[in-house]
Amino acid sequence: MYKKLFKNRTAQVTFFIIIAVLSLLSIVAVVYISNLDFSSNNVNVSSNNVVLQQCISEQFENSLRVASLKGGYVDFNNVPYFVPFNSYKMPLWKKDNTLFIPDAESIEQQLSSDLKNRIIEYCVSDDVKSVLKNKLNVKVLLSEDENRAVVKFNTYKQEKNSVKNFGVYEVKNSVPFLKMLNTAKNFYSDLESKDVLKDLTTTIIAMNKNIPTEGLSFDCEKKVWDVETVKKAFFKSLKDISPKVSFNGVPKYDNEIVKKHFTYNLDSVKNSNVKVKMIFKENYNNSFFKVDNVEGNLMTSFVTKNAVGCQNSYSFYYDYSVPVIFSLYDENEDYYFRFALPIEVYRNNVDVDPESKIESSNEVVVENTVDENNNEVEVKRTVLNDFCSKTTYEKINLSIKDNFDNPVSKVVSYIQCGSQQCYLDVVDNYVYSSLPSNCAFGKIYVSKKGYSLETLNYKFNKFSDLKNKDVVLYKLYNFILKEECNGVCDFENFNFVVFNNKDNVETPVFLSKNDDFASVKPKDGKIVFAIVKTTPSGFNFVEKKSFSLEDFDKGTDYYIKVVGKPREEGFYTFEDISFEPVNSENNGENIN
């Protein structure tokens, strides 16, 4: 009995020893597997891996700095226009009146994706790269004080289905990405609101003796310029002047001309430690420069002979679109943010050389004149060297009508020749007037408050084209929101627009509740409205709705109410649009 019991106890002890050995081997195996080396640089992927943490941190900062040098972009899928700059593509923030300025949310998404790719490329070994593409989550969060990146290695299945958790890492840095992005956006707004780029380039043209604008002499030898040579002179001047331009009110160079003409005082940068440098390169492929009123490659003056000698005159207009780079940097010059903008000027009337401009004592104020945006302005006729007083014997004859074929009287009309502006004679609904005899090329403007501004090209040798010509002034229709829009204007990313026919192109005008009416010129007898969704890449016109001019038979000024209804998640469609004449006391007229 005793021997049997002892034998059983011996078996039990043996059994427990075997279990203990197996348990110990299992623990050793787990420890070994959990510390497998996943990097050729001896990086062990675990939540307390200092080397991996450092690698992630470095790549996060690299990603931010590279995006800073590319206008805030990493992914260029939604950006159609670029400028080559050094080794990067520089996206244009604006092109053809469409903005491509990235917002913080889209940048965070792009940075998250970029950091994930960088971790896989630079921070882990080749044998786990393919697996981690689906097992790695990265979230980047930006703020002006601190940037954060949360990196989560989910799970990785090894051989025999054993599972390894890689852990979660959080890295931070103080790269001033968002702060500089916001400064760049405000800087862009300043440039637009003050028309800085147009002023800068037209001043360059006016001051460059190799870029002819307007002139008159009494010699008989025709003057000739080559368009390509003039273009190179403009590009060279822009390249030379660009680094000298100051935007914070403090001149960069101790030169009186630079101080006077190329020092701008912009609120976005004048009281900050951010400095701005403008860069232009002559070899940009997406630049264009042409002389608006010249055919072919030669620019020539017009010589006319009379009893006492010759009159030799020229007048040129320039159209150009050239991209420039703006580089914003801190006072230590250890962080840069860059973006590109086009300088787009069309049918530009440049002034004569500002250093040699002749001031006139004769100024005539003309009232009831409107500019291209239908804003009422006072326009002064300036007579320099009797330019306007010397006129042609023949007269032009323009018949002015509206788009309903009704005569339009009491219009204002003038011809622009370079820097010279001469007003024309108007009789009833006709512009019946002589023209300045020294004007080789020009533009004739016809306007009246409440109507569109119309323009005609004039050439000295095509005078007969304007002897009997009809000019149509379109009635302008004005709209303003009377109350908040349901579902269309209440939301941050939705707006309601009406289209203006400008230069025969539909241009959206945003409607608002302030005191400013949106004035529009109809196209093809219709006025078109649209619901707009704002996206990082521009505007998405969700739905358009057009109305015939017959629907607006109670005048030209209307209050408008728009009601939207959900079409699908994140989008709205029209439910109702009502119009109320401004002078009416009714509650609105539904137009569907």
Side-chain angles (χ1 to χ4, degrees), residues 361-496:
S361 59
N362 299 321
E363 293 181 342
V364 180
V365 177
V366 179
E367 299 179 351
N368 298 324
T369 303
V370 293
D371 62 13
E372 291 179 322
N373 297 317
N374 200 42
N375 299 316
E376 188 170 359
V377 294
E378 289 185 341
V379 178
K380 295 179 180 180
R381 178 177 74 168
T382 303
V383 181
L384 300 180
N385 298 328
D386 296 323
F387 184 87
C388 296
S389 63
K390 297 178 180 179
T391 60
T392 59
Y393 175 78
E394 295 181 291
K395 295 185 177 182
I396 63 170
N397 186 15
L398 308 177
S399 176
I400 315 302
K401 300 180 180 181
D402 67 14
N403 48 307
F404 298 100
D405 208 35
N406 300 313
V408 179
S409 59
K410 297 181 179 179
V411 300
V412 174
S413 182
Y414 61 91
I415 184 169
Q416 186 83 37
C417 293
S419 63
Q420 313 292 335
Q421 190 178 84
C422 303
Y423 281 82
L424 306 180
D425 297 325
V426 177
V427 180
D428 295 328
N429 66 304
Y430 292 90
V431 177
Y432 185 66
S433 179
S434 301
L435 299 180
S437 59
N438 295 331
C439 184
F441 300 97
K443 289 186 181 296
I444 296 175
Y445 296 86
V446 182
S447 66
K448 183 177 181 178
K449 187 171 177 59
Y451 292 80
S452 61
L453 173 70
E454 298 299 323
T455 307
L456 295 86
N457 290 320
Y458 165 72
K459 291 185 179 182
F460 183 84
N461 59 344
K462 296 289 183 69
F463 190 100
S464 59
D465 292 350
L466 302 176
K467 282 190 174 182
N468 291 286
K469 186 176 183 63
D470 292 335
V471 177
V472 177
L473 299 185
Y474 287 80
K475 280 189 175 182
L476 298 178
Y477 291 81
N478 307 302
F479 301 96
I480 192 171
L481 292 178
K482 186 176 182 180
E483 53 187 302
E484 203 69 36
C485 320
N486 177 26
V488 179
C489 304
D490 294 356
F491 293 89
E492 180 180 354
N493 295 325
F494 284 88
N495 289 280
F496 184 66

Side-chain angles (χ1 to χ4, degrees), residues 312-342:
N312 195 340
S313 63
Y314 60 89
S315 179
F316 300 114
Y317 306 92
Y318 296 99
D319 295 352
Y320 50 90
S321 177
V322 291
V324 291
I325 306 293
F326 289 97
S327 183
L328 281 66
Y329 55 96
D330 57 24
E331 55 187 354
N332 297 322
E333 299 190 28
D334 59 1
Y335 178 75
Y336 288 82
F337 187 98
R338 292 176 179 145
F339 66 96
L341 285 176

